Amino acid sequence: MLLAPIGALASGSAASPDDQLKALQEENLALRVENEQLKAKLESLDLPPYEELREGAKGGEVENLQTRLAELGFYEGKITGAYDGKTQKAVKAFQAAAGLASSTRASVELQALLFGGQAPRPTPTPTPAPTNTPKPTKTPKPTPRYAKGSYDKIARDPKEYTGALITFSGRVLQSMEDDDDLALRVATKGRYDNVIYVVFANYFKDHTSRILEGDKITVSGICTGVLSYEAVNGATITIPSLLAEEITVQ
């Protein structure tokens, strides 16, 4: 219980200096007692040592929060003491690691766990194992069915090429039709040079268009070596021959 102020002592009469000093000492003692009683009462309430922090908060408590989050690996950046977007992001990351509900606020419970000895750390992202990219396999060029024919080689060594699949291009000098069959004399070089003899059996069974003299064609088929025939002047002429399987008019 507080004593009455000095001015209230002995109403109507002046107090002596000793009485005034004694009254002041008693008043100070009473204040100290009340402060100790209030402190003990506050301690008995077991109030938490933290206050909830949220967006807009500033000061030392926010600095401590940022520092601790940085120590654990959740916060990156400068310690500013301001509860900004980076801080909220770090708080959410800590909540996820601790299994707490997601929130932008640093609750009292969160801070108790954060500053305690069992605070979790971020789960490291596993580094994916390098994948060996196979080198692309070169696609082999398809081998042509027919090889390009050589007039000189066939004329010189017909037995070597008999049965070979070959192809020639040239201009038709003569076209001869016999029922379904077609026979051609084809100049493979120039107008009358390097002439080959071409027979296409049953040509007209599968084709309706005719091959005319002067047509430029590509003919492919089986080499039959050489063919000899008698010219008008009685001379024997021997030229490479071909049993055609394909004819294309260019």
Side-chain angles (χ1 to χ4, degrees):
M1 178 177 178
L2 297 178
L3 298 176
I6 296 175
L9 294 174
S11 177
S13 62
S16 66
D18 292 338
D19 292 336
Q20 292 181 10
L21 179 60
K22 182 178 179 181
L24 183 60
Q25 290 175 341
E26 291 177 350
E27 184 177 359
N28 288 338
L29 178 62
L31 287 174
R32 285 198 299 271
V33 171
E34 280 196 0
N35 287 338
E36 292 295 330
Q37 292 175 345
L38 180 60
K39 182 178 178 181
K41 186 175 182 180
L42 289 175
E43 290 178 350
S44 67
L45 292 177
D46 194 24
L47 295 176
Y50 308 108
E51 292 184 4
E52 182 178 88
L53 300 175
R54 64 183 69 186
E55 183 179 5
K58 295 181 179 180
E61 293 181 346
V62 179
E63 287 185 9
N64 294 336
L65 179 74
Q66 291 173 333
T67 301
R68 180 58 175 160
L69 288 169
E71 290 174 353
L72 295 175
F74 294 99
Y75 181 84
E76 296 180 358
K78 185 178 180 181
I79 304 301
T80 62
Y83 201 94
D84 52 11
K86 285 186 177 181
T87 308
Q88 294 177 45
K89 182 179 179 181
V91 167
K92 283 189 172 184
F94 179 80
Q95 290 167 341
L100 302 176
S102 179
S103 171
T104 59
R105 300 179 180 183
S107 65
V108 172
E109 294 78 11
L110 180 143
Q111 293 179 68
L113 178 60
L114 178 68
F115 290 99
Q118 302 298 321
R121 293 181 178 271
T123 302
T125 302
T127 302
T131 303
N132 294 327
T133 303
K135 294 182 179 179
T137 303
K138 292 184 178 180
T139 303
K141 293 183 179 179
T143 303
R145 173 175 170 78
Y146 299 99
K148 187 175 181 181
S150 170
Y151 177 92
D152 293 334
K153 290 182 179 180
I154 296 174
R156 186 179 302 278
D157 193 0
K159 290 183 179 181
E160 180 71 23
Y161 292 92
T162 298
L165 299 177
I166 59 175
T167 183
F168 280 102
S169 294
R171 192 173 298 277
V172 177
L173 299 179
Q174 186 179 14
S175 178
M176 298 162 283
E177 300 173 1
D178 182 12
D179 294 331
D180 291 332
D181 299 335
L182 174 68
L184 304 170
R185 289 174 62 244
V186 180
T188 62
K189 183 178 180 182
R191 182 62 180 170
Y192 293 102
D193 297 331
N194 295 359
V195 177
I196 63 172
Y197 191 84
V198 177
V199 175
F200 200 132
N202 298 319
Y203 173 81
F204 289 104
K205 284 188 176 181
D206 300 319
H207 302 80
T208 57
S209 60
R210 301 172 64 212
I211 305 298
L212 304 178
E213 294 178 3
D215 284 347
K216 190 174 182 181
I217 65 170
T218 296
V219 57
S220 304
I222 304 172
C223 178
T224 54
V226 292
L227 174 71
S228 298
Y229 65 94
E230 186 177 339
V232 176
N233 59 7
T236 300
I237 299 176
T238 301
I239 58 176
S241 59
L242 181 71
L243 181 62
E245 295 180 338
E246 298 177 3
I247 293 181
T248 303
V249 179
Q250 299 177 7

